[in-house]
């Protein structure tokens, strides 16, 4: 076996399909986001504006967060020194879990190193806690949920995206006495559409199922205190397990679940992804706790965030660009071809100093390749004008289709 040749073939396939992912070297500078420095491969530098970051509210540079992190690192040093079970639980981890439980109106929360790990570890552990568990998973759930469901060794059913009738059919066909769980998201990050939380909770009640809601793209930015779409719609009490992240709107790192004290205790005790992983550094936990606490009372940032998203959508629609708009803060512009999507991304970066990562298969279905913009409160009018002009120029230059302008 020529292992090197096999590796070359695998990478070449991605290049040929226009799906090879290129990392660019970015230097963020505190207080200057969304502006950053792009370090080119030749060693030269170029100022850029980041339009695809997940730091939705700019909390990664907020003084409250940075102050908490500085204080924690001065007090405790760098790393946690172990897993949560072996010397890695500090006052900062406990404080953060208390903030998260309060955020979601739950008895407890359990902290993981990322929301991916939280999803994977929890969903793969649940069948050990509920033998015979059947998991009903939305077809467009995040890869971390898919992996957790796949690895758990239990029964799974995939229902068509947001299709309640299909979900009902699947649940009605199964043993009424079998334990069941419905796993879905509140905001689907590629199209920016919302999951029907209330209707899914109704089905869960009807069939005696647990509910598992991924609020990764919603925590911090929806709800009166940032508790997500379930909080906005006053539904948190109907959801059994809520998954969230600290790496997007909260601007730091980490993931978690919030649930009953018994549920968190069971996952803590049985999930290898929790038991055998070194805990977050205390400074990261401290910064995340400060961010969560701050955003419980800062509705102005959330309002600005939604306003920026509406403005960008309106202006891109005015140019006739093929935009998906489901009313969330996600702004996807469909290109429909992987090579063209990568080329547009490269041209925006090289020609205009605008960084937006191309989104290609398998993240999205073939034929729906896109540029996905995430406007934030720190994107000002000048940055917005520059982006709109650049998109208008490139759409014309590349002779891409535009929608018919209304009116």
């Amino acid at each position: 076996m020529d292992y090197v040749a096999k590796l070359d073939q695998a990478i070449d396939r991605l290049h040929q399909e226009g799906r090879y992912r290129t990392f660019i070297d970015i230097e963020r500078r505190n207080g200057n986001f969304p502006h950053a420095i792009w370090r080119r491969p030749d060693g030269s530098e170029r100022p850029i504006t980041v339009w695809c970051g997940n730091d939705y509210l700019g909390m990664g540079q907020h003084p409250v967060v940075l102050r908490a992190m500085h204080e924690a690192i001065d007090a405790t040093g760098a790393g946690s020194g172990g897993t949560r079970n072996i010397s890695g639980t500090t006052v900062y981890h406990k404080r953060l879990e208390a903030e998260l439980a309060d955020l979601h109106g739950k008895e407890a929360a359990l902290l993981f190193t990322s929301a991916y790990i939280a999803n994977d570890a929890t969903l793969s552990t649940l069948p050990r806690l509920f033998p015979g568990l059947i998991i009903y998973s939305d077809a467009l759930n995040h890869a971390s949920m898919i992996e957790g469901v796949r690895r758990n060794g239990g029964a799974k059913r995939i229902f068509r995206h947001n299709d309640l009738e299909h979900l009902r059919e699947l649940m009605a066909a199964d043993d009424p006495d079998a334990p069941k769980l419905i796993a879905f998201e509140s905001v689907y990050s590629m199209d920016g559409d919302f999951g029907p939380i209330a209707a899914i909770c109704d089905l869960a009640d009807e069939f005696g199922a647990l509910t598992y809601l991924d609020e990764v793209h919603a925590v911090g930015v929806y709800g009166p205190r940032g508790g997500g779409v379930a909080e906005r719609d006053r539904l948190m009490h109907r959801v059994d397990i809520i998954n969230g992240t600290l790496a997007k709107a909260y601007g730091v790192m980490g993931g978690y679940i919030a649930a009953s004290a018994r549920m968190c205790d069971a996952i803590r005790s049985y999930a290898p992804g929790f038991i055998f992983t070194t805990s977050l550094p205390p400074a990261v936990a401290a910064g995340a706790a400060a961010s969560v606490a701050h955003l419980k009372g800062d509705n102005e940032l959330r309002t600005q965030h939604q306003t920026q998203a509406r403005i960008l959508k309106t202006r891109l629609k005015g140019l006739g660009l093929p935009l998906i708009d489901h009313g969330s803060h996600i702004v996807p512009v469909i290109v429909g071809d992987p090579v063209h999507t990568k080329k547009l991304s490269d041209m925006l970066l090289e020609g205009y100093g605008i960084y937006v990562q191309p989104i290609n298969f398998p993240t999205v279905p073939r034929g729906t390749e896109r540029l996905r913009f995430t406007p934030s409160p720190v994107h000002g009018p000048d940055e917005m004008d520059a982006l709109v002009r650049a998109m208008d120029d490139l759409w014309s230059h590349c002779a891409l289709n535009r929608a018919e302008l209304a009116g």
Side-chain angles (χ1 to χ4, degrees):
M1 171 67 72
D2 187 341
Y3 294 102
V4 173
K6 290 295 184 183
L7 293 174
D8 287 341
Q9 290 170 14
I11 297 299
D12 286 345
R13 280 197 303 273
L14 295 179
H15 280 291
Q16 291 166 10
E17 296 172 9
R19 296 196 293 118
Y20 182 76
R21 298 173 191 239
T22 302
F23 301 153
I24 77 166
D25 190 354
I26 297 174
E27 180 182 333
R28 283 179 55 146
R29 293 185 174 175
N30 181 28
N32 201 35
F33 192 74
H35 301 289
I37 299 298
W38 170 34
R39 298 190 183 279
R40 291 187 173 105
D42 64 6
S44 63
E45 298 181 358
R46 160 133 200 207
I48 61 170
T49 302
V50 178
W51 273 98
C52 58
N54 286 333
D55 188 353
Y56 290 142
L57 302 178
M59 292 301 292
Q61 61 183 0
H62 197 286
V64 167
V65 176
L66 301 185
R67 183 165 57 249
M69 296 184 74
H70 279 296
E71 290 173 356
I73 201 167
D74 288 342
T76 68
S80 69
T83 67
R84 288 292 297 275
N85 303 297
I86 306 175
S87 80
T89 295
T90 70
V91 63
Y92 301 102
H93 297 87
K94 300 300 290 184
R95 184 180 301 158
L96 175 53
E97 287 176 337
E99 286 285 0
L100 294 168
D102 172 76
L103 176 68
H104 294 291
K106 300 298 183 187
E107 293 178 338
L110 191 62
L111 184 61
F112 293 80
T113 50
S114 73
Y116 188 107
I117 299 298
N119 272 333
D120 185 10
T122 303
L123 288 168
S124 62
T125 299
L126 286 170
R128 297 178 64 187
L129 305 175
F130 306 105
L133 179 70
I134 304 171
I135 295 183
Y136 303 84
S137 180
D138 188 287
L140 293 189
N141 276 343
H142 188 264
S144 58
M145 300 174 77
I146 294 170
E147 185 66 12
V149 172
R150 184 188 69 79
R151 287 199 313 109
N152 67 30
K156 64 178 182 292
R157 313 281 187 260
I158 310 302
F159 62 94
R160 292 186 292 269
H161 177 53
N162 281 351
D163 189 332
L164 297 172
E165 287 305 312
H166 189 216
L167 175 57
R168 171 184 284 280
E169 289 173 13
L170 293 173
M171 298 185 79
D174 282 320
D175 180 354
D177 294 326
K180 301 175 177 66
L181 178 140
I182 307 171
F184 63 111
E185 299 185 34
S186 62
V187 178
Y188 290 86
S189 64
M190 288 301 110
D191 284 354
D193 57 331
F194 294 93
I197 301 174
I200 286 179
C201 288
D202 288 343
L203 281 176
D205 290 345
E206 180 181 344
F207 289 94
L210 296 171
T211 48
Y212 185 102
L213 176 63
D214 181 306
E215 289 258 39
V216 160
H217 289 275
V219 290
V221 296
Y222 294 93
R225 298 199 310 156
V229 179
E231 185 196 28
R232 183 197 70 181
D233 297 346
R234 301 182 179 182
L235 295 168
M236 286 195 300
H237 64 288
R238 300 190 64 190
V239 179
D240 295 294
I241 305 173
I242 294 175
N243 169 276
T245 187
L246 303 163
K248 292 182 170 60
Y250 292 118
V252 193
M253 178 188 176
Y256 63 90
I257 60 168
S260 69
R262 283 188 178 87
M263 182 69 76
C264 288
D265 191 26
I267 297 298
R268 177 189 70 82
S269 301
Y270 280 87
F274 178 86
I275 296 170
F276 299 106
T277 299
T278 298
S279 64
L280 287 174
V284 172
S291 186
V292 173
H294 177 83
L295 284 176
K296 287 177 181 178
D298 193 344
N299 268 313
E300 184 178 349
L301 273 179
R302 279 187 282 278
T303 300
Q304 291 174 356
H305 182 229
Q306 294 296 320
T307 299
Q308 290 293 82
R310 283 194 297 270
I311 291 172
L312 181 58
K313 290 177 188 177
T314 299
R315 295 189 65 178
L316 294 179
K317 286 178 185 177
L319 298 176
L321 301 193
L323 173 72
I324 298 175
D325 184 5
H326 290 288
S328 74
H329 61 284
I330 306 294
V331 185
V333 178
I334 300 299
V335 181
D337 177 271
V339 175
H340 292 165
T341 307
K342 178 66 168 61
K343 183 65 174 176
L344 281 169
S345 173
D346 291 344
M347 293 170 75
L348 282 167
L349 186 62
E350 290 280 0
Y352 298 88
I354 290 171
Y355 175 48
V356 57
Q357 188 71 8
I359 307 293
N360 292 330
F361 178 85
T363 306
V364 295
R366 286 188 171 90
T368 69
E369 293 83 2
R370 66 198 62 185
L371 300 173
R372 177 182 169 273
F373 299 95
T374 52
S376 77
V378 294
H379 288 93
D382 292 342
E383 289 84 9
M384 186 85 71
D385 289 344
L387 173 62
V388 172
R389 283 196 301 268
M391 290 292 284
D392 191 19
D393 289 348
L394 288 181
W395 230 255
S396 297
H397 176 77
C398 298
L400 296 171
N401 291 332
R402 299 188 191 236
E404 294 266 345
L405 297 183

